[in-house]
Amino acid sequence: MAGSTALLSALIQGTQRPVSIDGTTLTGSELLGAASAVASGLHGRTRVAVNATPSIETVVAVAGAVLAGVTVVPVPPDSGAAELQHVLRDSRPDAWLGAAPPAVAAGLPPGSTPLEHLGVDVTARASYRPVAVADDAIAFVLYTSGTTGPPKGVLMPRSAVAAGLDGLAQAWDWTGDDVLAHGLPLFHVHGLILGVLGPLRLGCGLLHTTRPTPERYAAAARAGATMFFGVPTVWSRVADSPADAAALRGARLLVSGSAALPVPVFERIERLTGLRVVERYGMSETLITVATRADGSATAGCVGVPIAGVATRLRDEHGAEVAHDGESVGQLQVRGATTFAGYLNRPDATAQAWTADGWFRTGDVATIDAAGRHRIVGRESVDLIKTGGYRVGAGEIESVLLGHAAVAECAVVGVTDADLGQRIVAYVVPREPVVDEAGLAEELVSLVGAELSAHKRPREVRFVADLPRNEMGKVQKKRLV
């Protein structure tokens, strides 16, 4: 039963602090009793789908499945019929654990038998009965965002989840004395693995705010939260609400992830709270591999160093080593205890994801300095711009543009150009209506030229009302290109 005991150790050992979501609170013993009741009803099951709403039912369902050694397929509650159809056909769960999404009837694969619904009663109680589960057993099938085709099912072993959480506990001094607050979705790595299983493993309290608004984060701070998780959009809104931001001054750690935190937001949060937001980097296939440590060394735009048990390296398009000088951009590759066991039903994609010598190709490009600190430039497919013989990272240009008072948001992409190969184009969301677009565009181009190099200046600036984003707040640049 090593795998079962190791993954939710604090919950099982009776050291779990209360978990609260949307006005419902369960003590550690109540949560263990409810999860054990769920686990007792999963005998003979191997894989269940969970409609991952931001609710105590989701926490109980996931915890119960983990205790029973049953694989969980978290399903976004707003999934459309096509997405549901793909996920259900690909993962073929034995049942829905809890209520299914409204679109489930339309999402069932043609000719399939409707899935059985297994109820989740958060008031039920049962004694915990240990189940023998191997450490390499699959805990979750996490579906990717599907930016390069239909979403792929990432097979995440229990051992990888445990290693990732322990690595972050070490990096962030994360213990059972903390109270974590966040309002992130419960179907991704950030909100579910870190934001729910983290507390259940380490024993800290959890205050899920249902929605990640500045007002709710401030209320959580007044209720005693010591750690906060958020995506850049959340921290930007907190920075724009000084009174709510001030309530976070008593917190121990503010964490940002899932996308790059703009430098101006980092600086405003520090002024308002006295805290430097720590960033981290990871993906569904690797969980969190790199994180800024909770030692006061946070630097704007830097996602930190590899956590315990993880190694990273940079390679160019020919596989040659890229210098760790803080400037040279290369393809980021990782290996270690937190990596996945492959893509469900996709041996071809699994094989392509790994190098011949056993490193996972993240698809991201980054720089690493002499101290091992990582700066993510972005996705190789859209953020590494090859222009006029130069390799330019879109992220550094975006950081400069965001430093201008007139810029609320921006995204820099490379557009095919017959002369340059790619020309740099900046999409800018202004803070206020622009009277003289040509004048502001010229000003922004000059700013980049002054702060960086001449060849990194945008050839074109396009003003837009907003940027296309996915449910985690990441800008979908392929829709811009």
Side-chain angles (χ1 to χ4, degrees), residues 37-64:
V38 168
S40 66
L42 294 179
H43 180 71
R45 312 285 182 174
T46 59
R47 185 180 296 159
V48 294
V50 174
N51 180 26
T53 58
S55 65
I56 203 71
E57 286 80 5
T58 295
V59 175
V60 170
V62 171

Side-chain angles (χ1 to χ4, degrees), residues 243-410:
D244 293 314
L248 304 184
R249 295 189 69 87
R252 187 181 68 80
L253 197 69
L254 310 180
V255 180
S256 183
S258 299
L261 182 69
V263 173
V265 175
F266 176 97
E267 294 172 343
R268 289 204 305 274
I269 291 291
E270 183 179 12
R271 287 196 301 270
L272 292 168
T273 68
L275 298 169
R276 292 186 171 189
V277 178
V278 302
E279 293 189 73
R280 87 297 181 282
Y281 166 79
M283 54 198 310
S284 298
E285 291 88 341
T286 65
L287 301 181
I288 305 306
T289 53
V290 177
T292 301
R293 302 184 68 84
D295 58 5
S297 64
T299 302
C302 176
V303 295
V305 299
I307 67 171
V310 172
T312 63
R313 71 182 188 184
L314 295 180
R315 291 294 184 267
D316 66 17
E317 55 263 49
H318 305 295
E321 184 176 351
V322 173
H324 291 191
D325 56 11
E327 295 291 335
S328 301
V329 176
Q331 301 167 354
L332 181 62
Q333 299 175 1
V334 305
R335 70 178 178 186
T338 67
T339 52
F340 72 136
Y343 295 111
L344 180 64
N345 303 323
R346 293 291 305 276
D348 55 335
T350 300
Q352 293 171 5
W354 298 89
T355 65
D357 57 347
W359 291 75
F360 175 71
R361 298 184 174 101
T362 66
D364 288 320
V365 286
T367 65
I368 304 176
D369 68 15
R373 293 173 298 193
H374 293 54
R375 190 179 299 273
I376 306 300
V377 172
R379 296 298 291 171
E380 183 179 7
S381 58
V382 293
D383 292 311
L384 180 59
I385 303 171
K386 299 176 182 178
T387 179
Y390 294 100
R391 294 159 56 91
V392 177
E396 60 180 339
I397 301 173
E398 291 165 353
S399 293
V400 171
L401 293 173
L402 287 167
H404 194 286
V407 177
E409 296 179 311
C410 68

